[in-house]
Amino acid sequence: MQPTDLRTLTDVLRGDLAPSSTTAATEISERPHARLVRYGTDDQYERARAAGAVPVLLVPPPAVPAWCYDLAPGVEPANSVVEFLISAGTVPYVVDFGDVSRADRHIGFETYFDHLIPRAIAEVVDDFAGPTDALDLMAWSLGGTLSFLTAANDPGLPIRSIITIG
């Protein structure tokens, strides 16, 4: 490693590369491996509902922090998917699978697509209570695979679309 590489690694580990702020958020529910958070202020939430927006559920890969969708809000160039979605007039939610340890080795793909993600979908629809009982899933990496498996496992879920990244 070069000295520059070590300085960069140190900056990353200390959090010195970008502000450590986050977008305003409200916790909707707290369950093991399925914490649900709604981003945005109450005013942004009410405006999106009144405008007939469709909420977006962000699905991260397991064992990746859910804040991966909210990197350095308020910074230019923009790095926050959450901030972009709010500026587009929708309400983003994220299901946070939390830390995964050896004690969680019993959790398989089926736990995510048969229990955790469908429950998060139902909670988003209940919380948003918009003009349509539908939402969009936006998922990164393995979260995309889990989103497609969720939709295939239960075609009756109120999923309007699935957007995958990476």
Side-chain angles (χ1 to χ4, degrees), residues 11-160:
D11 288 345
V12 168
L13 294 175
R14 285 192 316 207
D16 291 343
L17 288 181
S20 59
S21 62
T22 58
T23 302
T26 302
E27 184 176 286
I28 303 303
S29 68
E30 174 73 42
R31 291 191 173 92
H33 300 294
R35 179 175 171 255
L36 184 66
V37 173
R38 179 183 70 226
Y39 286 104
T41 64
D42 290 341
D43 186 50
Q44 291 165 327
Y45 167 73
E46 291 300 332
R47 279 197 315 264
R49 286 182 64 222
V54 174
V56 177
L57 175 60
L58 302 167
V59 182
V64 171
W67 53 261
C68 67
Y69 291 109
D70 194 29
L71 299 176
V75 174
E76 290 297 327
N79 293 309
S80 172
V81 171
V82 166
E83 192 174 65
F84 169 78
L85 291 170
I86 290 170
S87 73
T90 191
V91 175
Y93 293 76
V94 67
V95 58
D96 185 350
F97 299 125
D99 294 331
V100 180
S101 69
R102 181 165 169 72
D104 301 308
R105 64 185 177 274
H106 65 281
I107 297 175
F109 270 20
E110 69 282 354
T111 302
Y112 292 97
F113 70 76
D114 197 28
H115 298 293
L116 301 178
I117 298 173
R119 182 181 298 150
I121 289 169
E123 290 175 340
V124 168
V125 169
D126 286 347
D127 180 69
F128 193 71
T132 63
D133 287 338
L135 55 68
D136 296 319
L137 295 179
M138 183 177 212
W140 171 46
S141 188
L142 190 54
T145 302
L146 293 172
S147 294
F148 282 117
L149 288 171
T150 300
N153 186 54
D154 186 351
L157 288 171
I159 300 170
R160 185 179 78 162

